[in-house]
Amino acid sequence: MRVTKKLLPGVVMAFAATAALALSACAPTAATPDASGSGAAGPADITVGVITSETGPLAGYGKQYLDGFKAGLDYATDGTNEVGGTKITVDYRDDAGDPDTAVGAAKELIGSGVNILAGSASSGVAAAVAEQAGQNKVLFISGPAAADALTGINGYTFRSGRQSAQDVATAGTFLGDVKGKKITVLAQNSAFGQGNVAAVTAILGGKGATVESVLVAEDVTEFTPFAQQVLAGSPDLVFVAWAGATSGAMWQAMSQQGVLDAVPVVTGLGDSATFGAYGEASEKISFLNYYFPGAPDNDVNTAMIDAVEKAGGTPDLFNPDGFNAAIMVVQAIKEGKGDVDAMVASLEGFTFDGPKGSLTVRAGDHALLQDMYQVRLVADAGSFIPELVKTVPADDVAPAEAQ
């Protein structure tokens, strides 16, 4: 495995915990390199606490993450679960998608001496665990949770996956230069939908696009008027942010009213369970995508896919988050030898080869810079499968640096 460390110039972040719990006294301090540069030996063993959804509404995402993490740990340690003479033990905890459950698990792990946490499929869970990491000064590597607020939330929290801003920026690449273009966001009138409108306005509006929205009440079941409203606005691009049981009916209305024939329509492609959810609209939608197994072509991706399949899993959307997290954990332990500040420093500016190719942890706010994808769905044996249209370079979709 090729692993390199690159420090990005001029980017430094300082952090001071303002509400440290008495619990922080429980966080262990391991041997750190000495001033001579020879380096003291690391601890004989380190326990990593992985908190994610094994049950609950996001259990499927949690499983993908865990399958990837186990494959990544095996890969990064050459099957030994050891690095630099330190044995790595993993304590897996189920948060069931509930922030309070996750906080309880985090406090218990920290109280027992654990100073590395990873996981979180839910953004609400990740925010709660990140708060514990900041208060107690332990390293936290968040997983599939995509909320932009996690980036730069404190000096101890990192990402192993993408964030919403990278999704939105990828949507904009379907237009090329968005300056002077009109983008309509079709979304449910919910926190999720309103958040997407805000993100598109901030990111693509900030690049010169005019952003309008068509918001639909969550209890609506007839979508023809809203499809007509979108079409009447004559946008250059339609960005759809939708979730839930009404997705099929919404896409049917968009297709029947000719929206998909008149204007490019972009939405995010989720995991494999969603590939058949778009009905007759499937081959007319442009999809932004974080990952599907056939998108990257490199040895690390092949190794991850082989390992997940060998363990009885199915390669899917969030396997890379777990795999990346394991590589980051191994890097932190190898370089930081159990000392939290040293482990944090070892990850800032860290560049490594993951399943999606080369990734960089931005030193200033710990965003994970990575390629994204343009994808289409194509009919295959009565179903649909994703096909890569274009790889969007990491620099083209990098989120604005958190302050």
Side-chain angles (χ1 to χ4, degrees), residues 199-213:
V200 174
T201 301
I203 296 166
L204 301 185
K207 294 180 178 180
T210 298
V211 180
E212 297 182 352
S213 63

